[in-house]
Amino acid sequence: MKNLPRKIIYFIAIALVLFFGARFFIYWKVKDAIVKKIANLKEQGIHVRYNSFDVNSWNGSLSVKDLQIVTSAQDSACLLAGTVQELNVEGIFILPLLLKKKLCISSITLVQPWFQYSRRSKKLPQQSKSETGSSPLRELQIDRIRIDSGKVEMIDSASCGVTFRGRLNFKLSGIALTNLSTDSMKWNAEAMTAEGIVVDLPTSFYKATLQNLSYSRSDRSIQMDSFKLIPTLGRKEFALKSGKQVDQFTLLLPLLKVTGFDLSKTAAKPSFIAEEIDLHFNLDVFRDKRNPRAIRSATRLPVTFMQQLPFPVHIDTLIISPSNIVYQEHPEKGDAAGRISFNELTAGIGNVSNDSTGESRMKVHTRFMNAGEMNADFTFPFQKGKPYSVKGSLVDFFMPEINPMLEPIAHIRIESGKIQAMKFNFIYDSRKSNGNLELRYTDLKILALKDDEYKSTNKLVTLIISAFVKKRIDKTNSIDERTGTIAIERDPQKAVLNYWWKSVLSGIKAVFGFETAVQKEVNKKRAAD
């Protein structure tokens, strides 16, 4: 009995020696395997260097300082590289790995990482089943990943020039990857935060900044604060270097919030599903039409675009809180840009989806040119072959407010006039639009301007225009009422916004007798029916 405590002490001592000895041996084997793998990468043209590589078996940590990776893009002379001032992996648990083939890590921290890559970069060699063994890793769990002052660059594999440059601070927690040994791998994360995001696009002449981006799985929400997209060149230089007609955007998005969202996916089928997206923004768009027109592939209408996405999308409701849109266009001939604006714009869009039936609807309210009240109702049918539709109205609009667009582009000035009510209703598909526009207005007076810097009046053209818009009303009624046909053939290289605007504009022109051949043909068919 007296020797029992001593035996227990010996047993505990031997167990501790075996435990820590085995632990030290396992971590030594891990370090040895990593070092050998790094040496083998050299044969693949991937050179890895580091100042120090330490493994601590007592607390289960790994530390690498001054890590450098250099390789080359496939079929390219560009050298690609990456550096990490310090890489720390802490809390590596061996027992779950041995018993359940589950790797658990408390934290991974990368201090001042910088990576450069190309779309044609070499990939790390894949391990065969014989190399990984018959029972590869099944699960991976990481409590926290942190990136301090991270930077990344993308280069063009032909010119080796930088096309994308970004930096951020990043935190990700509660990461879990399961079914790693199968094709049905799943992953999720509990929370994510990115701060101080800056993105430079040197070849596109833009810079984007984002103050904060956060995700919470428990709240099922994503929030983005203070996003800015700003051109790095002035309008004249932007147009000159672009060489083609392209829109120049300036976007300020103070807040975007997604609720009812779950950041999870399978390897085979990722998805984007949310209950509601709420945002408000200020958007300024400028186009210089003095440049030659760019030749590009046909743009897709909204439903077609959604249906061709490689993953399911379903958003119950998208809400646009009061926002502002300004579009400016410098004509091919002229000394100033025309301007059109949609102020205090609000909208609600329901059933934004590419995996459901029925239709999606969008209702919009705005102050057109910060003057008249405009409402529009859009339908987007999911059924193939069914046309889209738009109907809306503009009321109490003081017509001289549109002069900032008319004067530089059409050399026309509206001296007086008020739209009591304008109603438009049309359908459209990928080829053409068809509908009607009704206009009720009073006291319209239009002047044609000479094409000179003083904008003097062209009396002859004014006389001709006046003949077209002359009132056909009796003496007891001061309101003129007219109807025009909406009919245009779609320009497939332009966006759907242009399609909507040009459709309404065709109806306005028809009201005053300026009908195109397409509109005349539509009117003949209607008369025949």
Side-chain angles (χ1 to χ4, degrees), residues 417-428:
K418 183 178 181 180
I419 293 178
Q420 303 295 329
M422 181 179 73
K423 296 180 180 180
F424 51 90
N425 191 339
F426 62 94
I427 60 173
Y428 64 95

Side-chain angles (χ1 to χ4, degrees), residues 51-64:
N51 186 37
S52 65
F53 183 4
D54 298 319
V55 174
N56 190 323
S57 60
W58 295 98
N59 58 15
S61 66
L62 179 153
S63 177
V64 182

Side-chain angles (χ1 to χ4, degrees), residues 6 38 65 100 107 111 125 129 144 181 231 246 250 267 295 301 316 386-387 415 425 443 451 469 519:
R6 184 176 295 179
I38 290 174
K65 293 184 178 180
K100 301 181 180 180
S107 68
V111 179
K129 288 185 178 180
R144 296 179 305 279
S181 59
V246 292
T250 301
I295 300 175
L301 295 182
D316 291 342
K386 190 173 181 179
E415 289 287 285
N425 191 339
D443 192 30
D451 188 10
V469 301
Q519 288 169 307

Side-chain angles (χ1 to χ4, degrees), residues 213-229:
L213 175 65
S214 61
Y215 162 74
S216 169
R217 189 183 184 193
S218 60
D219 295 338
R220 300 179 65 210
S221 67
I222 297 176
Q223 183 163 311
M224 186 167 67
D225 296 321
S226 302
F227 174 79
K228 298 180 181 179
L229 177 66

